[in-house]
Amino acid sequence: MLNVPSQSFPAPRSQQRVASGGRSKVPLKQGRSLMDWIRLTKSGKDLTGLKGRLIEVTEEELKKHNKKDDCWICIRGFVYNVSPYMEYHPGGEDELMRAAGSDGTELFDQNLTLLLRLECGGAVSSRCNLFLPGSSDSPASAIQVHRWVNYESMLKECLVGRMAIKPAVLKDYREEENKVLNGMLPKSQVTDTLAKEGPSYPSYDWFQTNSLVTIAIYTKQKDINLDSIIVDHQDDSFRAETIIKDFLYLIHIGLSHEVQEDFSVRVVESVGKIEIVLKKKENTSWDFLGHPLENHNSLIPRKDAEDTYMKNSYIRKNINQRRETFIFTFSPNVVGLYYRKCQLISKENVTHDTRLFCLMLPPSTHLQVPIGQHVYLKLPITGTEIVKPYTPVSGSLLSEFKEPVLPNNKYIYFLIKIYHTGLFTPELDRLQIGDFVSVSSPEGNFKISKFQELEDLFLLAAGTGFTPMVKILNYALTDIPSLRKVKLMFFNKTEDDIIWRSQLEKLAFKDKRLDVEFVLSAPVSEWNGKQGHISPALLSEFLKRNLDKSKVLVCICGPVPFTEQGVRLLQDLNFSKNEIHSFTA
Ligand code: FAD
Ligand code: NAD
């Protein structure tokens, strides 16, 4: 990926710089206002010089277009000819020229961050989060949105095409649009267009019997399991995302014939093969599997989505310490996450403000959220789709608390705290049994390999930061033979806030490897347990290794200041980076 030095961006005199009295602007020439630009883009003039064609741009080609009158910039894998836009850019030509002939993604993201600081001015109204460029009731109509924020629509007419290989490696499915899939693509077609970095190139094949169609995915990786594959089919559209390390391999096909709703998924771990067995609606022989749909047979870097979220979370932190709302327009990669509608099956109170929600996946979906990963829930709120991240949990810590436990491959549980003054959770809480909420594919960077040979596991959780610890606890106590000790320190304000307290106590009673310590920051005077906030004294006493050289993992999750402070304290206590996993998203 090409990098543009961004430290000095935006240019000292550019619009994005926050000067003491406001922002500095580069004066635009007459006839070069935002409205003039919009008029030009709608005039039908060929702004790319490519007569409407979209091309694949190599790095070498991109580098050649580095002059003012021939300036191409790559943003998130898409290349724009920004020369016609130069005079309309409020930050000035020099600012755009910083990214000439190279990847301007980082520069764009910085710019967005600064813009938000600027537009929201630090003291944020809740509407800042609802900012949706172009929507009439959004702050976009009240404040002038920087051009680059809405760059996709601003620069739509300047789109030259996609980067051929880097930074996002997408198979050019367009060339195949008119073809049908009659089995495995010739190897050269598959491999030529896939990443030259990352995992070995995956591929797929299909075969049939009278009643079944099997789609086989060859991941060429050994650490593949049922969590690694997400399948959705709706009408004739079939979609299978395979998570292969930090990549996602997508099969996306319009099936040639109808299939039944349910299907099965098998994984042959030893060879990294996944088989999805579809049941034909009619027992006829299929001549071909179907036609390729968007991004079919692509290997897409997953990390992008996480990075985008990290950047958003950075933005959030700067503009608003508390809210964590995603608006699609801000996060193209999050837009790319696939959502399916899940039905609310049950909702029960766990504490005075925390509920256990059980959602049922559609029968035509296979999705198992890996340990330590989260999904996004999406709901329309006053006409805007709002998404927030949540970490699925198991239905309980102990089976006796939930009999019978529903099969976990069809149901997803969430422990969600309802903030009565919050944006998303009150709406979620208003859902009735039988209502639907959209659930995304999983995200997150927690790797189960962290548990290999693990001896001591320490969990530091605050409030709903307990959620990732639920599956970790279940997994650690049942699947890690080397494990000697698990210690959970659970920080809450009051006793009433402790999620699943009695389950935790029972589990600790049953399994002597588990110790649980509750720490309250606002206890009643009768509380005789630990109290206070996370501190060196609390941690140094709690985090005792079993043996000097035992393999240790410390997981930490909670409010951002809690997690940040905790990580600093852990480092002071000489825990290495590899021994700490913080859930920050
Ligand atoms: P928000 O609108 O974000 O408000 C939250 C609180 O802050 C409210 O009390 C509100 O009044 C206050 N507030 C908001 N803005 C301001 C402001 N400007 N000034 C002062 N106060 C303000 N939560 C769970 O319950 N369960 C989970 O499993 C879970 N998993 C998560 C996983 C990840 C990766 C992350 C990042 C977060 C997770 N969260 C989880 C938190 C969740 O995403 C939401 O942040 C949370 O549900 C609050 O959403 P909300 O829209 O209802 O509240
Ligand atoms: P809360 O406000 O009830 O606080 C719980 C405890 O956290 C407090 O008792 C205190 O010990 C500690 N704490 C709170 N603020 C602190 C501060 N400023 N400095 C040090 N310690 C502090 O917590 P909550 O309302 O349940 O919030 C849970 C948080 O966890 C949310 O911010 C949520 O986004 C986050 N969360 C993150 C993930 C994730 O990243 N994967 C998952 C779940 C929850």
Side-chain angles (χ1 to χ4, degrees):
M1 170 123 162
L2 299 170
N3 276 321
V4 178
S6 54
Q7 297 91 317
S8 54
F9 184 84
R13 290 166 50 74
S14 82
Q15 182 172 0
Q16 292 77 33
R17 283 269 172 200
V18 185
S20 52
R23 42 162 90 164
S24 328
K25 287 186 183 178
V26 173
L28 296 172
K29 286 187 202 153
Q30 187 107 39
R32 294 293 180 268
S33 71
L34 171 62
M35 272 321 293
D36 293 318
W37 171 251
I38 290 170
R39 252 178 244 126
L40 177 64
T41 60
K42 303 233 182 287
S43 67
K45 197 171 169 201
D46 175 15
L47 297 183
T48 59
L50 293 169
K51 301 192 173 69
R53 253 182 332 126
L54 290 177
I55 59 170
E56 282 213 336
V57 183
T58 60
E59 260 184 37
E60 292 68 38
E61 184 64 31
L62 179 65
K63 276 184 199 156
K64 288 183 205 158
H65 301 269
N66 61 358
K67 293 165 211 75
K68 255 181 204 163
D69 59 352
D70 178 20
C71 178
W72 291 9
I73 295 179
C74 170
I75 306 173
R76 293 196 204 293
F78 289 91
V79 178
Y80 299 90
N81 178 352
V82 296
S83 293
Y85 180 60
M86 288 277 176
E87 293 189 336
Y88 298 80
H89 182 54
E93 297 177 352
D94 290 350
E95 202 174 85
L96 281 179
M97 283 306 292
R98 284 173 186 276
S102 64
D103 190 305
T105 308
E106 202 179 311
L107 182 132
F108 160 74
D109 285 334
Q110 276 240 340
N111 206 353
L112 175 56
T113 308
L114 284 154
L115 167 88
L116 284 168
R117 274 199 207 137
L118 220 126
E119 301 295 16
C120 299
V124 189
S125 83
S126 61
R127 299 192 66 197
C128 244
N129 275 328
L130 282 169
F131 162 60
L132 193 66
S135 106
S136 59
D137 63 349
S138 74
S141 52
I143 54 177
Q144 193 200 11
V145 177
H146 187 270
R147 281 95 176 112
W148 282 47
V149 172
N150 202 5
Y151 76 98
E152 280 166 309
S153 73
M154 290 300 302
L155 296 180
K156 205 166 57 193
E157 297 305 322
C158 299
L159 183 66
V160 168
R162 284 183 178 179
M163 284 302 289
I165 296 172
K166 292 177 178 178
V169 189
L170 298 172
K171 176 163 173 53
D172 190 353
Y173 58 89
R174 287 179 301 257
E175 67 191 37
E176 285 174 20
E177 245 163 23
N178 298 324
K179 295 185 190 168
V180 290
L181 299 168
N182 55 1
M184 193 158 151
L185 291 168
K187 202 169 168 71
S188 60
Q189 275 191 44
V190 177
T191 53
D192 284 357
T193 46
L194 291 181
K196 299 282 184 278
E197 291 173 356
S200 326
Y201 317 136
S203 59
Y204 76 99
D205 197 357
W206 74 285
F207 39 91
Q208 60 181 317
T209 64
N210 206 24
S211 57
L212 305 173
V213 166
T214 300
I215 297 174
I217 298 168
Y218 305 97
T219 67
K220 299 178 188 151
Q221 302 291 320
K222 282 197 176 155
D223 53 355
I224 295 295
N225 53 42
L226 280 172
D227 294 358
S228 317
I229 171 88
I230 301 158
V231 184
D232 292 275
H233 80 80
Q234 277 171 10
D235 306 322
D236 71 340
S237 151
F238 173 88
R239 214 173 173 284
E241 291 178 9
T242 309
I243 299 157
I244 307 173
K245 298 194 185 294
D246 289 330
F247 290 78
L248 196 141
Y249 177 59
L250 181 66
I251 299 291
H252 194 192
I253 296 168
L255 294 174
S256 63
H257 292 69
E258 283 190 290
V259 292
Q260 294 176 32
E261 250 189 352
D262 61 317
F263 55 84
S264 62
V265 181
R266 290 198 292 253
V267 173
V268 189
E269 282 181 37
S270 54
V271 292
K273 183 167 91 166
I274 296 165
E275 285 184 345
I276 303 155
V277 185
L278 305 170
K279 295 177 196 156
K280 291 179 180 176
K281 264 203 175 154
E282 285 171 18
N283 292 350
T284 50
S285 172
W286 293 17
D287 294 336
F288 58 96
L289 182 59
H291 55 278
L293 298 176
E294 192 178 8
N295 290 339
H296 169 64
N297 205 13
S298 312
L299 193 62
I300 302 161
R302 271 186 97 211
K303 224 170 167 297
D304 274 8
E306 279 163 30
D307 285 349
T308 304
Y309 185 56
M310 293 293 278
K311 278 163 190 151
N312 274 294
S313 102
Y314 172 62
I315 293 162
R316 280 193 331 255
K317 262 193 271 168
N318 280 281
I319 62 164
N320 184 336
Q321 294 290 321
R322 311 279 282 276
R323 291 199 173 234
E324 288 169 335
T325 305
F326 267 145
I327 300 296
F328 283 161
T329 347
F330 278 175
S331 340
N333 286 310
V334 174
V335 179
L337 276 176
Y338 188 78
Y339 285 80
R340 67 282 301 153
K341 285 208 162 111
C342 295
Q343 198 168 25
L344 180 64
I345 293 299
S346 65
K347 181 174 83 168
E348 61 186 65
N349 292 341
V350 172
T351 68
H352 62 103
D353 59 4
T354 302
R355 324 241 187 278
L356 180 69
F357 290 84
C358 175
L359 300 180
M360 184 173 67
L361 289 163
S364 51
T365 293
H366 165 90
L367 167 63
Q368 290 181 191
V369 181
I371 293 173
Q373 299 206 4
H374 53 268
V375 296
Y376 297 88
L377 298 186
K378 180 167 80 174
L379 281 176
I381 298 177
T382 56
T384 303
E385 285 192 318
I386 303 291
V387 296
K388 292 258 174 161
Y390 294 96
T391 314
V393 296
S394 33
S396 70
L397 281 172
L398 294 157
S399 53
E400 69 238 43
F401 277 80
K402 216 162 204 11
E403 285 290 5
V405 175
L406 295 167
N408 69 1
N409 59 352
K410 279 290 155 216
Y411 298 88
I412 310 189
Y413 294 91
F414 295 94
L415 280 167
I416 297 180
K417 175 166 169 176
I418 310 300
Y419 296 85
H420 292 293
T421 48
L423 177 67
F424 190 81
T425 48
E427 203 63 28
L428 193 68
D429 203 28
R430 273 193 281 277
L431 292 181
Q432 302 294 311
I433 304 303
D435 284 351
F436 287 87
V437 53
S438 298
V439 178
S440 80
S441 299
E443 252 189 18
N445 56 8
F446 185 80
K447 299 248 161 51
I448 205 158
S449 55
K450 295 226 172 219
F451 290 133
Q452 258 166 28
E453 313 291 324
L454 191 69
E455 292 164 282
D456 293 333
L457 175 62
F458 297 105
L459 307 174
L460 303 172
T464 55
F466 173 62
T467 51
M469 310 307 176
V470 172
K471 283 194 184 180
I472 288 179
L473 258 179
N474 279 337
Y475 181 81
L477 293 173
T478 47
D479 285 293
I480 311 174
S482 53
L483 193 80
R484 274 197 301 257
K485 199 80 207 157
V486 188
K487 289 177 85 176
L488 166 70
M489 189 169 257
F490 194 1
F491 296 78
N492 283 282
K493 290 197 200 99
T494 69
E495 277 183 272
D496 291 344
D497 295 319
I498 303 175
I499 297 170
W500 280 351
R501 178 180 181 175
S502 104
Q503 290 200 44
L504 280 166
E505 285 169 342
K506 286 209 166 131
L507 189 60
F509 182 76
K510 256 177 68 171
D511 194 323
K512 295 297 166 219
R513 293 171 301 168
L514 174 65
D515 286 346
V516 180
E517 187 116 54
F518 299 113
V519 183
L520 300 183
S521 57
V524 291
S525 53
E526 293 80 33
W527 173 253
N528 51 20
K530 292 240 162 11
Q531 37 183 295
H533 281 270
I534 193 163
S535 67
L538 277 175
L539 292 196
S540 55
E541 189 198 321
F542 181 72
L543 297 165
K544 293 253 159 52
R545 292 169 194 253
N546 255 324
L547 296 169
D548 263 0
K549 288 203 169 134
S550 57
K551 186 166 177 210
V552 173
L553 177 66
V554 191
C555 296
I556 179 162
C557 186
V560 174
F562 167 89
T563 308
E564 285 177 353
Q565 203 184 333
V567 170
R568 276 196 303 274
L569 294 175
L570 290 169
Q571 284 163 347
D572 292 347
L573 289 168
N574 290 328
F575 285 92
S576 69
K577 252 186 163 177
N578 277 342
E579 291 174 327
I580 306 170
H581 183 88
S582 62
F583 291 89
T584 46

